[in-house]
Amino acid sequence: METFKRSVRIESDSLGDLEIPESAYYGIQTLRASLNYPISGLRVTPIFIRAYAFLKRACLHANHELGVFPDVTTVGFIEQACNEVIEGKLEDQFIVDVFQAGAGTSTNMNLNEVIANRALELSGSTRGDYATISPNDHVNMSQSTNDTYPTAMRISALLSIRQSLFPALEDLENAFSGKMEEFKSTLKIGRTHLQDAVPMMLGDEFGAWASIVQRHTARLREAEKDLTFLGIGGSAVGTGLNVPPGFREKVIDILNADLDLELRGSSDMFEAMESLAPFQHVISAIKNLALDIIKISGDLRLLSSGPLTGLAEINLPAVQPGSSIMPGKVNPSVLEMASQVAMQVIGAETVISLASQAGQLELNVMMPVVQFNLLFAIEIFSNAMRVLATSCIAGITANDDRMLHYAESSASLVTALAPHIGYMESAKIAKEALASKRTIRSIVLEKKLMTEDQLNSILDLNAMTRPHQLEG
């Protein structure tokens, strides 16, 4: 029986030799990391790899312009390899688990090896023949994992927030604002402590939610500015060892030209390497919004509860059958999804908080778990907010008659009488109305506390929702 031996190449590092699949663009350090950490099956997100490749390309050009990498032909091969990574053509070559050794050295070397081997192939050389194009000496020139990894973290987070999260939040705010306008004259009873309060417009409820999203977005815009300060050029500990003068400035200029992110150098490269506060700032801003999303989702679930034995003031779009046993049942499925995603974001914030305080001395080595949780949180939250806006909020309708019935039947209308007949007398009327199932109006008229004209003016439900506007 004929046997076939898989085609392999031999690569060496300071620990010895390993067989690498001949078809692989990754090398020995990537393979070691893959074998060492069979943890989750999760891989580093494509946007992080893309951001890292932008950084590698910027470093390549900076080295060339500064004269420390003069070989223009080799620079061209490495640049083309970086471009292919940026375009996602080599995505399957990034095989290191997200839970890996600290600082992200495994991911950095995965990038270096893939870029080097693709550049070797482009030059007509053999993969693994690092004498002409080396992962360490050429692709990683003037760099360390310790300054490139946190820089790539910042770039990828900025790209994710600006390209995905901000547009999704804008969609959600617009969806709420649209309903605010649609329901601006839809009368309902407000509730506090889950008890009847005073009349309001349904549009005001949706307007509040639009404002909540808008204000959280503004807070996030402030927080993400922290990510624009880079420690690139700090090398291993922040001193800039083995980094040519002017390198940092050129890298940042190139990145800004490529990505339009308003990046700048940190005033203290040691701080940029030690502190993960910018990432904590951003995830905290996202978490704060996630908390309100859970609250808003709960509000909408309450308002749509029923349809016969709940509030049933609004109708949610039906997106799927709600039960495997109860025919015809429809659940608030999108809102349930949004709450679960928000809870996952809160969990990510907890992980990042723990990692932020876990660094020692000149480096916080917990960066890989921060990178994963931050980008994962941004991705799922962006997707959830987009679905929430389009598949739920945009399709909500109002049950006007039911809301008007609740508003007219509420004993809390007595609040408007208090300035005229006093708090205690108003409380007695409210108590009697609840006990007798009669309206406030009928009891006041029966007791001859006011004329019908006076009562009509005071108990004008629409006027109650805009008292100061009417006064003006």
Side-chain angles (χ1 to χ4, degrees):
M1 179 178 177
E2 186 178 2
T3 60
F4 295 90
K5 184 177 180 181
R6 185 176 65 170
S7 179
V8 298
R9 66 178 187 267
I10 305 297
E11 288 193 19
S12 303
D13 61 11
S14 59
L15 299 183
D17 300 338
L18 279 181
E19 290 185 345
I20 312 295
E22 186 58 45
S23 61
Y25 287 98
Y26 57 79
I28 186 170
Q29 293 201 45
T30 300
L31 182 60
R32 284 197 192 280
S34 177
L35 296 173
N36 285 338
Y37 311 114
I39 308 303
S40 68
L42 299 170
R43 300 293 178 255
V44 177
T45 54
I47 195 165
F48 182 69
I49 297 298
R50 180 170 172 259
Y52 222 145
F54 270 114
L55 177 59
K56 291 292 177 183
R57 189 176 70 181
C59 291
L60 172 72
H61 284 297
N63 282 319
H64 180 62
E65 291 174 20
L66 292 169
V68 296
F69 196 160
D71 184 350
V72 67
T73 302
T74 302
V75 167
F77 293 134
I78 296 175
E79 178 181 22
Q80 186 173 339
C82 288
N83 291 340
E84 292 184 11
V85 174
I86 290 169
E87 294 164 6
K89 294 181 178 178
L90 299 169
E91 194 171 303
D92 62 340
Q93 297 299 304
F94 299 98
I95 64 172
V96 180
D97 199 278
V98 297
F99 298 100
Q100 56 184 265
T105 302
S106 300
T107 294
N108 183 31
M109 287 308 303
N110 197 167
L111 258 294
N112 291 334
E113 290 176 341
V114 169
I115 291 169
N117 279 311
R118 177 56 180 147
L120 283 167
E121 186 175 61
L122 291 167
S123 72
S125 299
T126 304
R127 297 178 204 174
D129 183 12
Y130 299 137
T132 54
I133 301 178
S134 162
N136 294 84
D137 296 335
H138 300 116
V139 183
N140 201 59
M141 180 182 287
S142 307
Q143 305 157 57
S144 165
T145 297
N146 300 351
D147 64 346
T148 58
Y149 195 93
T151 297
M153 286 172 65
R154 285 164 166 82
I155 294 170
S156 59
L158 286 166
L159 292 174
S160 296
I161 291 168
R162 297 184 183 184
Q163 295 175 0
S164 299
L165 186 52
F166 282 151
L169 296 182
E170 183 178 4
D171 288 347
L172 183 59
E173 182 186 342
N174 289 339
F176 282 132
S177 295
K179 292 301 169 182
M180 175 185 69
E181 183 64 24
E182 181 180 343
F183 300 140
K184 66 181 179 182
S185 300
T186 304
L187 189 70
K188 62 163 290 180
I189 194 72
R191 297 179 182 86
T192 58
H193 301 268
L194 289 179
Q195 306 297 306
D196 295 351
V198 296
M200 62 181 294
M201 296 299 179
L202 180 61
D204 292 330
E205 208 151 28
F206 279 87
W209 296 330
S211 293
I212 286 171
V213 175
Q214 186 275 326
R215 290 178 184 273
H216 278 295
T217 302
R219 295 183 188 107
L220 180 55
R221 288 190 186 280
E222 286 300 312
E224 59 109 35
K225 291 178 183 177
D226 271 359
L227 298 175
T228 62
F229 294 92
L230 307 184
I232 188 66
S235 188
V237 299
T239 61
L241 181 66
N242 294 342
V243 176
F247 176 80
R248 177 167 72 149
E249 291 77 13
K250 283 193 176 293
V251 169
I252 292 173
D253 286 344
I254 293 167
L255 289 172
N256 281 330
D258 289 344
L259 300 171
D260 191 27
L261 289 178
E262 306 90 40
L263 303 170
R264 67 209 80 182
S266 173
S267 60
D268 190 322
M269 289 189 287
F270 297 96
E271 180 272 340
M273 207 167 290
E274 291 183 29
S275 175
L276 299 184
F279 305 102
Q280 182 62 46
H281 194 185
V282 168
I283 192 62
S284 294
I286 299 173
K287 171 193 171 180
N288 287 341
L289 173 54
L291 292 169
D292 266 334
I293 290 298
I294 295 172
K295 187 267 183 192
I296 293 169
S297 296
D299 289 345
L300 289 166
R301 290 163 65 197
L302 278 173
L303 293 176
S304 64
S305 60
L308 298 179
T309 59
L311 295 181
E313 292 189 342
I314 62 172
N315 307 302
L316 304 177
V319 297
Q320 66 184 71
S323 174
S324 62
I325 190 173
M326 292 174 280
K329 190 172 187 289
V330 178
N331 295 335
S333 303
V334 173
L335 296 172
E336 294 164 349
M337 173 279 298
S339 292
Q340 292 177 77
V341 170
M343 293 171 190
Q344 185 66 52
V345 169
I346 293 166
E349 191 274 342
T350 300
V351 173
I352 293 173
S353 295
L354 292 172
S356 293
Q357 56 82 47
Q360 299 83 35
L361 303 176
E362 278 65 59
L363 182 68
N364 189 318
V365 300
M366 303 303 172
M367 291 185 290
V369 78
V370 172
Q371 176 272 131
F372 168 70
N373 276 275
L374 180 59
L375 294 183
F376 181 61
I378 293 170
E379 179 183 7
I380 63 173
F381 200 55
S382 300
N383 293 338
M385 294 307 95
R386 191 174 298 108
V387 171
L388 177 60
T390 58
S391 298
C392 182
I393 307 304
I396 289 175
T397 58
N399 293 324
D400 302 52
D401 292 343
R402 191 174 185 106
M403 283 188 284
L404 183 60
H405 170 72
Y406 286 152
E408 291 178 337
S409 303
S410 175
S412 65
L413 298 182
V414 77
T415 303
L417 299 179
H420 303 278
I421 64 175
Y423 182 91
M424 292 305 296
E425 188 64 35
S426 298
K428 291 177 184 178
I429 293 171
K431 184 175 180 181
E432 184 176 342
L434 290 170
S436 64
K437 309 297 185 194
R438 296 168 61 198
T439 66
I440 298 295
R441 178 183 296 276
S442 65
I443 295 172
V444 171
L445 291 175
E446 180 185 280
K447 293 180 179 293
K448 298 181 179 180
L449 296 173
M450 289 183 177
T451 67
E452 189 166 359
D453 287 345
Q454 289 174 322
L455 198 57
N456 287 340
S457 176
I458 294 170
L459 294 185
D460 181 338
L461 300 187
N462 285 289
M464 288 185 196
T465 68
R466 298 290 187 272
H468 298 295
Q469 291 182 18
L470 292 175
E471 288 174 6

